[in-house]
Amino acid sequence: TLLLTERFVKEYDITLAFHNHGPQDKVFPSPFDAWAAVKPYDKRLGLCIDVGHTARAGVDPVEAILKCGERLYDVHMKDLLPGPGDKADQAVGLGFGRLDVRSMMAALIQVGFRYQVGLEDEVKTDDPIPGVAQSFGYMRGVLAALP
């Protein structure tokens, strides 16, 4: 499939990002799995790092951003806390979980990231606006404090 995908990437001059989905994903559990798959192909084949799935796969999102930065075309930003009984993570607003948002944002700046950082807010799906606003405010504050 990657050969065919590469052909279309070249023909239409587009970038395409493969998204990792954590330990339950058999193909791309971590960004490093996607990185290994796309590395031999055209540089327009790259990654979408989902920081939550990355952490759940046992990979440091900062390390993944720094290692894969040259072919990183999308980021899904979220924060997590251990869930009930520590069997599954639960989504929380940015800054309220275990992920180091500041270091992830600093890593994105370090690699010269110029694409989309999409906020994934899965806390209150019936009324997401207050949580989204709070998380965007947190991100803006983190960015303002970075050199």
Side-chain angles (χ1 to χ4, degrees):
T1 306
L2 286 170
L3 280 173
L4 181 61
T5 305
E6 180 184 49
R7 188 180 109 205
F8 288 120
V9 159
K10 289 177 178 179
E11 182 177 339
Y12 295 103
D13 189 26
I14 59 172
T15 55
L16 188 131
F18 289 92
H19 182 284
N20 63 294
H21 274 109
Q24 76 280 6
D25 184 343
K26 302 299 182 228
V27 180
F28 301 130
S30 90
F32 297 144
D33 299 301
W35 175 254
V38 301
K39 201 166 182 175
Y41 298 95
D42 188 282
K43 291 199 182 288
R44 289 167 287 194
L45 284 176
L47 308 175
C48 167
I49 292 180
D50 183 305
V51 301
H53 292 316
T54 298
R56 290 185 322 97
V59 172
D60 177 6
V62 174
E63 178 187 356
I65 290 166
L66 293 173
K67 180 176 179 183
C68 306
E70 69 184 76
R71 287 170 79 169
L72 179 58
Y73 302 130
D74 193 11
V75 173
H76 291 183
M77 187 65 68
K78 63 176 77 164
D79 209 343
L80 304 170
L81 275 178
D86 296 332
K87 292 188 178 168
D89 286 325
Q90 62 185 22
V92 295
L94 289 184
F96 291 99
R98 65 182 172 93
L99 301 185
D100 186 351
V101 175
R102 182 192 182 287
S103 293
M104 290 186 286
M105 300 299 265
L108 290 169
I109 292 169
Q110 183 177 336
V111 300
F113 186 75
R114 59 187 175 93
Y115 301 98
Q116 171 181 291
V117 175
L119 172 65
E120 286 193 6
D121 186 281
E122 302 160 340
V123 179
K124 290 186 110 184
T125 55
D126 59 330
D127 185 20
I129 300 301
V132 167
Q134 186 175 31
S135 288
F136 270 118
Y138 182 79
M139 278 197 298
R140 285 187 178 126
V142 165
L143 286 171
L146 288 172

